[in-house]
Amino acid sequence: MNNNKKVIIDFDGTLAASFDLFIEAMRAAHAKYDFRNVEDDEIETFRHYSAWQILKFLGLPMYQVPTVTRYIRNYMTEQIKALPLASDWQETLQTLALDYELVILSSNSNQNIQTFLDQHELTCFSEIVSDVGLFGKVKAIRKLIKDNHWQNKDVFYIGDEIRDIKAAKKAKISSIAVTWGITQNKH
């Protein structure tokens, strides 16, 4: 492995096919916290929203975000073992791990990510950076690069959302977008 090259991979929607579970958790949170529900005919539109647009769409006030986020995360923890890979990642990750150090960066919890990795026997990640805030990926990427003394030119970010690509650009690293995930159309 060439330790100079790094690939940071987003978890939800990129590595884990978590969108359907996310919608299920959002609907359960809606019932508990009384914000707008995501109806079946709104899901495709919802997929394309940024985090800010999602909050506006749901009518979810900022003061409720931490509580609702915790509820959704706990809901997902109960279901994480049944969560499938987003694509045929095993072979891709094995190939990438030959030349790149692989790291996960996610707003999900370390426990959920580690449970998922264990369930799918994915052992190629050198680090998990978890609990990144919904709006804090740029800061987390920059901190990861600085703390590990990496060169920006050697770091790539793989994500499924527009905000992932924007975060990589702001952090001055290259990005790769997958064709599936939370803010992509299902194909």
Side-chain angles (χ1 to χ4, degrees), residues 28-150:
H30 148 76
K32 183 172 175 90
Y33 296 103
D34 196 33
F35 54 84
R36 183 175 180 213
N37 193 26
V38 181
E39 301 298 334
D40 289 344
D41 63 346
E42 298 172 316
I43 289 175
E44 283 308 311
T45 302
F46 185 80
R47 292 174 81 85
H48 298 281
Y49 286 165
S50 68
W52 287 110
Q53 289 170 317
I54 288 171
L55 294 178
K56 185 177 178 182
F57 174 87
L58 296 174
L60 187 61
M62 284 302 292
Y63 74 87
Q64 269 192 314
V65 170
T67 302
V68 171
T69 300
R70 261 190 313 278
Y71 179 85
I72 289 170
R73 183 177 291 160
N74 290 338
Y75 188 97
M76 292 180 79
T77 297
E78 295 172 12
Q79 306 293 325
I80 199 77
K81 286 186 177 180
L83 202 58
L85 282 168
S87 184
D88 185 18
W89 270 106
Q90 269 108 349
E91 186 177 332
T92 302
L93 291 171
Q94 288 171 358
T95 302
L96 283 171
L98 296 174
D99 294 316
Y100 298 89
E101 180 180 345
L102 304 179
V103 176
I104 292 176
L105 179 74
S106 177
S107 57
N108 210 319
S109 72
N110 190 292
Q111 176 188 350
N112 283 353
I113 295 167
Q114 193 59 59
T115 299
F116 178 86
L117 294 177
D118 293 346
Q119 184 71 21
H120 294 282
E121 299 177 358
L122 299 174
T123 59
C124 54
F125 293 96
S126 64
E127 187 173 356
I128 297 171
V129 178
S130 60
D131 297 313
V132 174
L134 294 175
F135 308 103
K137 284 195 175 180
V138 175
K139 184 177 176 182
I141 292 169
R142 287 179 178 155
K143 183 176 179 351
L144 185 61
I145 291 169
K146 182 181 177 185
D147 289 353
N148 288 289
H149 307 287
W150 296 343

